């Protein structure tokens, strides 16, 4: 493997590909022979919810670079908090990673290391590097000081080793009240880095864990778990998001101590993981963080984690975004050391580009009005081959049926059409997609049939003979556009779910926080409600081509002239259901100009 890696590096240098700072560092580490030229990463989700688009950014890096450089990326469930975790989430996480197109080497669980972490903590107590503190969490917080003011030592800081060992065991006995004692590392209460001010290593939860059952009652904290797991697994590059920058020195210290306790602290032994931080993915009009997403699910604002309005991977999948589209966006925004807020429209442009390449083109009429082709005989039909995807010939064609009575979009006809209206109206001509050029009479009386209230219920037009592709008049030039249609007798009724943004504001995270502050610290749904879009889902009836009966859930479609859609898993041949993935153009931008 090492030889291959160095060849790759030469190639990379030759190509002068522009690498992000993380990849640059990786290439340098490999070139310098660090970690014996090994490369191993991990993706460490906490199984307390479903993965979201932010996680996809971490996944693309952890798995993507391991794949590119012949390394390995393991999946590690960071399950140190039994209160909120569940196997349902573990299975969902695995499914989502696979759907994004990545493969892990091994699956590890932080809970696999509970015994090892316990033994390590005991070793640290014996070395005088950890102590049991009996103060309340408020007292501990008070003594912490501020970044500019040193903290105060706990009165329990110097208790004898034997007492610490006894109390630490008691912490795990199941008989101790949670919050009564914690195990803290004895580092430096005056350190400018607050994480060094005797951080908590263990707390009592007295709660069964979904994997280890009732074996443990005291559980390790994140900071006392993550680095050691990385080190024991042989992770070389531990990439995480920027909020962990200030944790890094502690991460390194615990790894140093672990190496020392394991007896691998040799000066030339650089077998250790290195943490590097990158900016979180942050998009306008969405709220990430599993904690907040859980509120939306529990409060019934959305229909579950995979609701197409959710920024979860499974929500995006159900909405009809492809893994390639999502990853292409992530690749575009890149990895930096500065937090940013990316525009949702940038994401939508990336997925639209991708769907353009893969979506099958079909006709669906969402706001129908009947069009009668007066000079086409009743009872007759013509069958055409419609191109599935002009971007990819290999996708082939499918049959569509033309007849005397068609459905077209109501907006495609105007009774008093201005000159610049290039669709149907008295005296106007348009081409029917894949079919004839048609024209309406100049005389409005001949053109439409109205009901008693004056609503148009039928439009009449005539086809111009020989204007289909390949026929004598096919190149006839007209001002009108090409419009889509379906044959009344050869179409199916379908349910169309048009999704819009869930959040009306650009930055829900900040708005929700500000609102909460202004309104007596209201939490959860109360703080969210004012910013939620009440019209984020509109359900419509549509007439669609019969061919759509053959499409499978999740198939990517383009409803011609309307937008990208996919087949919802709720869809059955008897009741077709489609989700709007994204419009053909940025409708939101236009609307909010
Ligand atoms: P959340 O706050 O949504 O629960 P988290 O950071 O607690 O997210 P974890 O399950 O702990 O979620 O995260 C697993 C990995 O995904 C971590 O390495 C974390 O840094 C990364 N990650 C989480 N959110 C984002 C994001 N918005 N952008 C990039 N990476 C992220
Ligand atoms: Mg978390």
């Amino acid at each position: 493997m090492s030889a291959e890696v160095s060849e790759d590096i030469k190639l990379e240098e030759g190509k002068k590909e522009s690498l992000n700072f993380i990849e640059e560092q990786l290439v340098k580490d490999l070139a310098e022979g660090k970690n014996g030229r090994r490369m191993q990463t991990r993706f460490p989700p906490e199984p307390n919810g479903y993965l979201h688009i932010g996680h996809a950014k971490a996944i693309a890096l952890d798995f993507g670079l391991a794949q590119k450089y012949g390394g390995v990326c393991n999946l590690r469930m960071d399950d140190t908090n039994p209160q909120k975790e569940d196997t349902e989430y573990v299975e969902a996480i695995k499914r989502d990673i696979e759907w994004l197109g990545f493969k892990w080497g091994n699956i590890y669980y932080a809970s696999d290391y509970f015994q090892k972490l316990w033994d390590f903590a005991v070793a640290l107590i014996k070395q005088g590097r950890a102590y049991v503190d009996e103060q309340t969490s408020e007292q501990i917080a008070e003594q912490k000081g501020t970044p500019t003011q040193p903290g105060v030592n706990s009165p329990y800081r110097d208790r004898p080793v034997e007492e610490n060992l006894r109390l630490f065991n008691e912490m795990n006995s199941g008989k101790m009240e949670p919050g009564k004692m914690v195990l803290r590392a004895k580092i430096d209460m005056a350190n400018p880095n607050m994480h060094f001010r005797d951080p908590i290593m263990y707390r009592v939860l007295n709660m069964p864990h979904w994997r280890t059952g009732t074996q443990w009652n005291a559980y390790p904290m994140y900071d006392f778990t993550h680095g050691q797991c990385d080190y024991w697994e042989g992770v070389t590059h531990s990439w995480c998001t920027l909020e962990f920058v200030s944790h890094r020195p502690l991460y390194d210290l615990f790894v140093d101590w672990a190496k020392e306790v394991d007896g691998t602290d040799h000066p030339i032994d650089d077998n250790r993981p290195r943490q590097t931080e990158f900016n979180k993915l942050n998009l306008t009009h969405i709220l990430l963080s599993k904690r907040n997403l859980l509120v939306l699910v529990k409060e019934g604002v959305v229909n579950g984690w995979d609701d197409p309005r959710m920024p979860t991977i499974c929500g995006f999948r159900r909405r009809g975004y492809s893994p390639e589209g999502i990853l292409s966006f992530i690749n575009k925004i890149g990895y930096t050391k500065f937090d940013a807020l990316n525009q949702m429209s940038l994401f939508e442009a990336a997925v639209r580009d991708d769907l353009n390449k893969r979506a099958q083109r079909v006709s669906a009429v969402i706001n129908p009005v009947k069009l009668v082709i007066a000079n086409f005989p009743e009872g007759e039909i013509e069958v055409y081959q419609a191109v599935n995807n002009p971007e990819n010939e290999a996708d082939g064609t499918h049959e569509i049926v033309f007849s005397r009575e068609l459905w077209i979009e109501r907006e495609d006809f105007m009774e008093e059409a201005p000159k610049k209206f290039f669709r149907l109206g008295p005296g106007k001509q348009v081409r029917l997609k894949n079919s004839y050029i048609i024209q309406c009479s100049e005389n409005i009386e001949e053109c439409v049939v109205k009901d008693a209230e004056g609503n148009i219920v039928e439009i009449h037009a005539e086809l111009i003979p020989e204007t289909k592709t390949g026929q004598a008049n096919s190149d006839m030039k007209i001002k009108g556009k090409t419009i889509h249609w379906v044959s009344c007798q050869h179409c199916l009724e379908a349910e169309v779910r048009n999704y819009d943004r869930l959040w009306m504001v650009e930055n829900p995270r900040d708005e929700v926080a500000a609102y909460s502050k202004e309104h007596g610290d209201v939490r959860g749904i109360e703080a969210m409600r004012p910013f939620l879009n009440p019209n984020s889902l509109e359900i419509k009836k549509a007439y669609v081509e019969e061919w759509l009966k053959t499409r499978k859930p999740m198939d990517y479609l383009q409803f011609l002239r309307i937008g990208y859609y996919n087949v919802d898993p709720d869809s059955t041949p008897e009741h077709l259901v489609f989700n709007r993935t994204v419009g053909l153009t940025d409708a939101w931008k236009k609307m909010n100009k």
Side-chain angles (χ1 to χ4, degrees):
M1 190 191 81
S2 347
E4 271 170 26
V5 169
S6 58
E7 279 306 304
D8 278 354
I9 295 166
K10 275 187 213 140
L11 267 179
E12 293 303 338
E13 283 170 354
K15 268 200 293 183
K16 284 267 177 287
E17 182 190 357
S18 89
L19 307 181
N20 65 51
F21 77 102
I22 300 243
E23 190 170 354
E24 229 166 51
Q25 183 63 47
L26 168 67
V27 169
K28 193 160 161 275
D29 289 348
L30 290 171
E32 286 171 3
K34 280 195 184 144
N35 298 92
R37 256 187 213 290
R38 261 180 353 97
M39 189 250 180
Q40 183 177 325
T41 59
R42 84 292 168 262
F43 173 65
E46 182 180 358
N48 61 349
Y50 285 61
L51 297 182
H52 53 61
I53 177 72
H55 293 111
K57 181 171 177 179
I59 289 172
L61 191 72
D62 293 328
F63 287 93
L65 289 187
Q67 205 169 301
K68 182 167 172 185
Y69 289 92
V72 63
C73 176
N74 296 315
L75 179 55
R76 172 158 6 100
M77 298 295 169
D78 181 13
D79 58 347
T80 51
N81 192 355
Q83 282 152 309
K84 299 186 207 145
E85 294 155 6
D86 204 318
T87 52
E88 173 200 345
Y89 299 135
V90 172
E91 292 313 310
I93 289 168
K94 292 198 246 175
R95 210 164 40 235
D96 290 346
I97 295 172
E98 284 179 329
W99 179 73
L100 284 172
F102 297 107
K103 279 197 170 57
W104 48 85
N106 281 308
I107 301 187
Y108 296 115
Y109 293 83
S111 54
D112 291 341
Y113 303 94
F114 282 169
Q115 186 63 52
K116 216 169 166 166
L117 286 164
W118 177 269
D119 295 343
F120 178 45
V122 167
L124 294 180
I125 293 174
K126 287 184 181 161
Q127 292 176 339
R129 282 169 162 165
Y131 62 98
V132 172
D133 196 341
E134 286 175 55
Q135 298 184 99
T136 63
S137 55
E138 292 79 22
Q139 284 169 322
I140 292 176
E142 263 168 40
Q143 289 171 353
K144 203 119 206 213
T146 66
T148 48
Q149 237 180 5
V152 176
N153 283 355
S154 160
Y156 300 99
R157 203 171 194 259
D158 293 315
R159 69 187 344 156
V161 167
E162 288 315 312
E163 204 175 299
N164 279 322
L165 288 174
R166 181 174 57 78
L167 292 173
F168 189 39
N169 273 311
E170 267 180 40
M171 279 175 61
N172 197 37
S173 65
K175 293 189 197 99
M176 184 169 295
E177 222 178 287
K180 200 132 187 273
M181 289 181 196
V182 290
L183 183 73
R184 298 177 74 179
K186 196 191 281 187
I187 308 179
D188 175 9
M189 288 304 289
N191 200 292
N193 183 331
M194 300 287 284
H195 296 289
F196 271 20
R197 297 190 184 174
D198 291 10
I200 295 173
M201 294 158 59
Y202 268 85
R203 81 271 204 218
V204 178
L205 290 178
N206 282 349
M207 192 172 276
H209 187 282
W210 62 282
R211 286 190 81 240
T212 56
T214 52
Q215 191 187 352
W216 301 98
N217 294 296
Y219 289 91
M221 301 295 288
Y222 173 89
D223 275 333
F224 188 67
T225 309
H226 201 85
Q228 291 94 291
C229 291
D230 281 350
Y231 164 63
W232 288 325
E233 278 167 18
V235 167
T236 59
H237 294 83
S238 184
W239 296 315
C240 61
T241 39
L242 288 172
E243 71 270 28
F244 291 102
V245 168
S246 63
H247 295 242
R248 194 193 324 135
L250 184 59
Y251 174 103
D252 285 334
L253 181 72
F254 281 143
V255 170
D256 285 345
W257 286 359
K259 281 162 68 76
E260 203 184 306
V261 168
D262 287 2
T264 59
D265 193 31
H266 191 272
I268 57 164
D269 173 18
D270 75 339
N271 182 27
R272 62 176 306 134
R274 293 175 173 77
Q275 176 181 306
T276 311
E277 310 81 11
F278 61 91
N279 64 331
K280 272 199 160 170
L281 180 143
N282 217 342
L283 270 177
T284 59
H285 299 286
I286 62 172
L287 186 60
L288 294 178
S289 171
K290 287 173 282 191
R291 188 171 45 85
N292 291 317
L293 297 178
L294 184 63
V295 173
L296 298 175
V297 173
K298 284 214 167 135
E299 296 289 338
V301 173
V302 294
N303 301 313
W305 286 96
D306 71 342
D307 185 296
R309 289 165 291 183
M310 288 284 270
T312 49
I313 304 293
C314 55
F316 276 15
R317 170 167 68 228
R318 185 162 183 180
R319 176 129 179 188
Y321 301 132
S322 73
E324 294 85 351
I326 294 172
L327 294 173
S328 111
F329 166 70
I330 284 168
N331 190 35
K332 274 201 183 89
I333 57 170
Y335 298 82
T336 73
K337 292 180 193 173
F338 311 96
D339 274 322
L341 181 63
N342 291 113
Q343 291 295 320
M344 191 62 185
S345 53
L346 198 69
F347 173 79
E348 287 172 349
V351 293
R352 208 178 274 129
D353 265 5
D354 170 78
L355 289 173
N356 182 40
K357 284 180 237 144
R358 66 183 73 244
Q360 310 291 292
R361 273 58 168 177
V362 293
S363 291
V365 178
I366 294 186
N367 185 18
V369 64
K370 193 177 274 182
L371 170 71
V372 178
I373 310 293
N375 60 346
F376 192 82
E378 231 165 290
E380 272 191 29
I381 58 162
E382 286 184 6
V383 177
Y384 311 132
Q385 291 300 319
V387 171
N388 286 335
N389 182 359
E391 303 292 318
N392 184 11
E393 213 179 311
D395 282 357
T397 60
H398 69 271
E399 275 187 2
I400 55 172
V401 180
F402 175 80
S403 70
R404 180 182 162 89
E405 295 194 349
L406 312 174
W407 294 117
I408 62 167
E409 300 287 351
R410 205 164 266 280
E411 303 83 66
D412 283 339
F413 181 88
M414 252 180 113
E415 201 172 332
E416 283 163 40
K419 253 199 143 94
K420 288 252 152 101
F421 185 74
F422 296 115
R423 289 172 274 166
L424 271 184
K428 298 217 178 232
Q429 299 175 330
V430 295
R431 176 177 284 284
L432 295 175
K433 179 76 183 168
N434 292 310
S435 180
Y436 296 97
I437 292 174
I438 58 165
Q439 65 186 359
C440 280
S441 160
E442 293 275 0
N443 181 350
I444 185 74
E445 307 294 319
E446 289 173 18
C447 220
V448 294
V449 177
K450 293 185 176 176
D451 63 13
E453 276 98 57
N455 302 310
I456 296 173
V457 289
E458 235 174 69
I459 296 162
H460 286 210
E462 293 203 341
L463 64 80
I464 303 176
E466 299 281 310
T467 50
K468 282 187 298 183
T469 313
Q471 293 188 326
N473 299 329
S474 65
D475 56 358
M476 181 178 154
K477 293 272 174 294
I478 55 167
K479 284 212 178 105
K481 293 189 175 174
T482 300
I483 66 169
H484 64 278
W485 52 274
V486 294
S487 164
C488 296
Q489 293 204 330
H490 308 90
C491 69
L492 302 167
E493 208 179 291
E495 177 181 330
V496 168
R497 299 176 181 169
N498 283 340
Y499 293 101
D500 206 337
R501 291 176 184 177
L502 193 57
W503 297 92
M504 292 184 295
V505 289
E506 269 225 328
N507 192 340
R509 192 188 55 186
D510 290 359
E511 302 269 1
V512 168
Y515 183 90
S516 162
K517 218 170 148 191
E518 275 167 34
H519 295 79
D521 208 23
V522 288
R523 290 285 154 118
I525 191 67
E526 262 188 84
M528 295 177 175
R529 191 110 41 210
F531 310 104
L532 287 166
N533 179 1
N535 303 312
S536 57
L537 169 59
E538 182 190 40
I539 296 182
K540 294 245 181 180
K541 203 179 78 176
Y543 293 120
V544 302
E545 294 180 23
E546 281 180 317
W547 182 64
L548 283 172
K549 212 176 183 160
T550 67
R551 300 297 87 196
K552 303 263 173 330
M554 306 303 182
D555 276 1
Y556 303 108
L557 304 168
Q558 186 194 95
F559 287 181
L560 288 167
R561 300 175 62 225
I562 299 179
Y564 291 101
Y565 282 78
N566 81 336
V567 185
D568 190 83
D570 285 349
S571 193
T572 64
E574 292 71 43
H575 180 78
L576 300 174
V577 182
F578 302 98
N579 299 317
R580 181 167 69 197
T581 312
V582 63
L584 290 181
T585 55
D586 193 348
W588 183 273
K589 200 160 132 192
K590 276 190 208 144
M591 219 161 67
N592 288 279
K593 252 189 191 157

